[in-house]
């Protein structure tokens, strides 16, 4: 599998290679003119295996292999290769031991009508309130699929740390982490792949759209929890990280990589701060950055950047936050 060049939102692609007994995956390639990554007259893009885990769907000795895209001319990173940016950030700031925990929200949709699972077929459910972490047939749709996805992630050895039903019916969340800047992207993209495979099996669209339902319905985000060794030891470092994210020019730079359609989701309503304003605060779900109450109490821990969209690229998000915060905390 690899990350393609689809605009405005990159997608995961995959194909299958049959290996002889004991054979390694090795360098491979694909037709980049079919993924918005090359022109037809110079179409080959190189696949470099970089991360692998057990394939929990096929089982046995089978593996899932995440690849980076490289250019044929000098085997340098392809412009769409955001993982290379995460690797560079880790090489520069790995001594600060950055850790990320991502909360991936998503929405189950009917693949033909794009109407959410759990919504009546020709109307709307009752207003938001009872659905978040809800239980029971009236409030919940799709739990079997969530449980199956969770089991696949565990069998693959991914750092999945929890799941919950979300505020809008048909919306769910799983969390990956805490793991480092590169690993969080590897695990998240493979967890997304497994989610889409569950969607194929049950003919449900697993959507990462940031605002699938207009109106008084929550959007879907990828809250990004972040810490460094200093932040895990001191509250001064927690505040310094918040200030680094709010420094002149930084909010705009971050919003630009936090996912397509972010203006529709970060409206200031539905537990968000506006996309064009920056704030941080303890327990504040209307701020750009939330400092969890436990962190304020313990005077150390981590911060939650609430801005990234569900459709953001975890490699790009983790690389940017690492660079912005670690350059100040160094
Ligand atoms: P919320 O209350 O925002 O819904 P969640 O429980 O869904 O929070 O997610 C919290 C996330 O924070 C988890 O993914 C967890 O792995 C992550 N996390 C916990 N501690 C740290 C830490 N020190 N650094 C980075 N992430 C952390
Ligand atoms: Mn959560
Ligand atoms: Mn959530
Ligand atoms: Mn959160």
């Amino acid at each position: 599998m690899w990350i393609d060049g689809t605009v405005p939102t990159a997608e995961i692609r995959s194909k299958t290679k049959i290996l002889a007994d004991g054979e390694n995956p090795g360098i491979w390639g694909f037709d980049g003119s079919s993924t918005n990554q090359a022109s037809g007259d110079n179409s080959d893009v190189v696949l470099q295996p970089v991360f692998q885990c057990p394939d929990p769907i096929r089982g046995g000795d089978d593996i899932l292999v995440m690849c980076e895209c490289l250019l044929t001319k000098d085997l340098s990173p392809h412009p769409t290769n955001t993982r290379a940016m995460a690797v560079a950030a880790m090489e520069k700031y790995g001594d600060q031991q950055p850790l990320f925990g991502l909360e991936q929200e998503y929405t189950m949709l009917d693949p033909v009508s794009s109407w959410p699972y759990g919504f009546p077929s020709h109307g709307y459910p009752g207003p938001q309130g009872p659905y978040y972490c809800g239980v029971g047939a009236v409030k919940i749709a799709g739990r079997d699929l969530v449980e199956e996805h969770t089991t696949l992630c565990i069998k693959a050895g991914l750092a999945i740390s929890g799941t919950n039903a979300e505020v809008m019916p048909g919306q769910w969340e799983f969390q990956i982490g805490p793991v480092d800047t590169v690993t969080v992207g590897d695990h998240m993209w493979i967890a997304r792949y497994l989610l889409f495979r569950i969607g194929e099996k049950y003919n449900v669209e697993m959507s990462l759209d940031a605002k699938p339902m207009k109106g008084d319905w929550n959007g879907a985000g990828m809250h990004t929890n972040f810490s460094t060794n200093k932040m895990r030891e001191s509250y001064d470092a927690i505040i310094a990280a918040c200030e680094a994210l709010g420094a002149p020019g930084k909010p705009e730079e971050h919003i630009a990589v936090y996912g397509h359609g972010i203006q529709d989701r970060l409206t200031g309503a539905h537990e968000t701060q506006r996309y064009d304003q920056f704030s941080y605060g303890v327990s504040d779900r209307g701020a750009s950055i939330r400092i969890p109450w436990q962190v304020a109490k313990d005077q150390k821990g981590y911060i939650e950047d609430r801005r990234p969209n569900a459709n953001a690229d975890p490699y790009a998000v983790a690389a940017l936050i690492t660079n912005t915060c670690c350059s100040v905390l160094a």
Side-chain angles (χ1 to χ4, degrees), residues 144-309:
D144 286 352
L145 283 64
V146 173
E147 293 295 308
E148 199 167 323
H149 173 250
T150 306
T151 301
L152 291 180
C153 288
I154 293 169
K155 282 189 179 160
L158 306 181
I160 187 166
S161 55
T163 68
N164 60 271
E166 268 304 335
V167 174
M168 187 183 98
Q171 219 161 56
W172 292 86
E173 169 179 315
F174 65 87
Q175 300 108 32
I176 294 284
V179 287
D180 71 61
T181 308
V182 176
T183 306
V184 79
D186 290 339
H187 285 210
M188 179 57 77
W189 273 114
I190 290 178
R192 286 177 174 183
Y193 169 84
L194 294 171
L195 186 69
F196 301 145
R197 291 292 306 271
I198 293 280
E200 288 178 17
K201 183 173 167 188
Y202 293 101
N203 195 31
V204 173
E205 186 193 349
M206 299 294 194
S207 173
L208 303 184
D209 191 331
K211 191 76 181 180
M213 296 304 284
K214 309 301 166 208
D216 218 3
W217 304 102
N218 273 31
M222 187 180 69
H223 294 170
T224 299
N225 300 276
F226 168 71
S227 66
T228 64
N229 50 7
K230 282 190 183 155
M231 294 165 71
R232 294 189 290 274
E233 283 158 16
S234 102
Y235 204 66
D236 286 348
I238 294 280
I239 297 302
C242 294
E243 290 287 337
L245 290 164
K250 284 294 167 186
E252 296 78 7
E253 189 187 334
H254 280 248
I255 290 291
V257 302
Y258 281 1
H260 177 66
I262 200 158
Q263 293 83 355
D264 294 334
R265 177 175 149 264
L266 298 186
T267 58
H270 305 112
E271 306 178 45
T272 68
Q273 172 59 287
R274 285 181 55 87
Y275 69 93
D276 55 1
Q277 288 176 28
F278 180 86
S279 62
Y280 63 89
V282 176
S283 288
D284 189 352
R285 288 177 197 270
S288 316
I289 311 290
R290 177 177 66 103
I291 301 171
W293 72 271
Q294 186 77 46
V295 174
K297 183 166 173 283
D298 296 346
Q299 292 289 295
K300 61 183 179 181
Y302 64 96
I303 60 174
E304 177 192 46
D305 189 340
R306 300 178 57 78
R307 297 170 293 172
N309 271 354

Side-chain angles (χ1 to χ4, degrees), residues 1-140:
M1 49 196 71
W2 71 96
I3 311 309
D4 74 6
T6 301
V7 285
T9 299
E11 310 256 355
I12 192 161
R13 306 262 180 157
S14 79
K15 57 180 186 166
T16 297
K17 186 177 192 179
I18 315 298
L19 303 174
D21 267 352
E23 187 187 354
N24 287 321
I27 292 253
W28 208 17
F30 66 96
D31 168 15
S33 72
S34 298
T35 62
N36 200 29
Q37 286 169 297
S39 56
D41 59 353
N42 186 16
S43 67
D44 287 322
V45 178
V46 176
L47 287 173
Q48 168 75 61
V50 285
F51 174 83
Q52 68 180 56
C53 64
D55 179 345
I57 297 175
R58 289 199 176 104
D61 292 339
D62 289 320
I63 54 177
L64 299 175
V65 182
M66 178 57 85
C67 298
E68 279 191 31
C69 294
L70 307 180
L71 299 170
T72 49
K73 68 170 164 47
D74 56 2
L75 298 186
S76 65
H78 188 277
T80 59
N81 182 347
T82 50
R83 189 182 188 277
M85 299 175 199
V87 170
M90 263 314 267
E91 278 167 2
K92 196 162 177 194
Y93 296 117
D95 58 338
Q96 295 188 39
Q97 297 168 308
L99 287 178
F100 285 88
L102 304 185
E103 305 169 49
Q104 176 72 67
E105 295 178 341
Y106 61 97
T107 312
M108 297 185 189
L109 302 175
D110 182 294
V112 177
S113 66
S114 292
W115 203 240
Y117 249 50
F119 276 45
S121 47
H122 295 287
Y124 291 86
Q128 294 184 158
Y131 311 111
Y132 169 74
C133 296
V135 185
V138 173
K139 304 185 190 86
I140 291 299

